[in-house]
Amino acid sequence: PIRPAQARDTDACADILNDWIDGRDWMPRIHTPQAVRDFYRDYVFAKRDLFVAGDPPVGFMALDRDAPFVTALYVAKPGRGLGRRLIEFAKTGRDHLRLWTFQATTRAQAFYRREGFVEERRTDGDNEERLPDILLRWPRP
């Protein structure tokens, strides 16, 4: 089941993200793994709505508290329906959602398109990683 994260979940969420970063040769390592853990503990958990699947977490999603925006969605083992469950959870009660994805993540783009997201715009790398990305929007049908 998907549940609100607890403080004890933040390291597991950060480690899922760290593994994702380290698993892509195109993704620069901007912050150390410990800095990512600290950020999830001190910022994401405190300032976002963080939801996890599993105990310990095997996937997570962070939502902006002030806007219908998914700021992070990562699963340890893609292809098992967990990402879909997380995004469906995020859609509940909302008229629309927005999120960014890197242009290099073609699997993520395909996933979001299957979930009804459409491209809103692209950048050449207006992000910390300086990588081209895409802003996607899901409008409730």
Side-chain angles (χ1 to χ4, degrees):
I2 296 169
R3 62 177 173 80
Q6 299 175 6
R8 65 180 169 85
D9 297 318
T10 61
D11 281 353
C13 293
D15 289 345
I16 291 168
L17 175 56
N18 279 320
D19 288 346
W20 183 88
I21 291 168
D22 292 340
R24 276 131 196 93
D25 59 0
W26 54 266
M27 184 68 173
R29 168 62 72 183
I30 304 292
H31 304 286
T32 66
Q34 186 57 52
V36 172
R37 281 178 153 207
D38 294 345
F39 178 75
Y40 267 76
R41 183 191 63 240
D42 299 337
Y43 183 83
V44 176
F45 182 73
K47 308 260 187 215
R48 302 271 191 248
D49 289 330
L50 185 61
F51 297 94
V52 298
D55 193 5
V58 294
F60 73 93
M61 173 180 59
L63 297 168
D64 191 305
R65 288 186 178 157
D66 300 321
F69 211 95
V70 177
T71 61
L73 191 157
Y74 294 92
V75 297
K77 296 180 181 177
R80 299 181 177 185
L82 185 53
R84 183 168 197 219
R85 288 189 3 236
L86 286 163
I87 208 71
E88 287 296 322
F89 183 88
K91 289 176 180 178
T92 302
R94 292 183 169 82
D95 291 330
H96 70 280
L97 279 175
R98 296 170 79 200
L99 58 85
W100 288 99
T101 190
F102 293 108
Q103 289 183 31
T105 57
T106 55
R107 284 183 62 193
Q109 291 171 53
F111 163 75
Y112 289 123
R113 285 192 180 97
R114 283 192 309 272
E115 296 305 314
F117 284 79
V118 294
E119 185 174 320
E120 203 168 288
R121 71 181 172 99
R122 290 177 178 240
T123 78
D124 291 329
D126 291 343
N127 52 54
E128 187 175 35
E129 297 84 1
R130 300 184 191 268
L131 294 173
D133 55 4
I134 306 169
L135 179 61
L136 298 174
R137 185 176 197 273
W138 169 78
R140 180 171 297 285

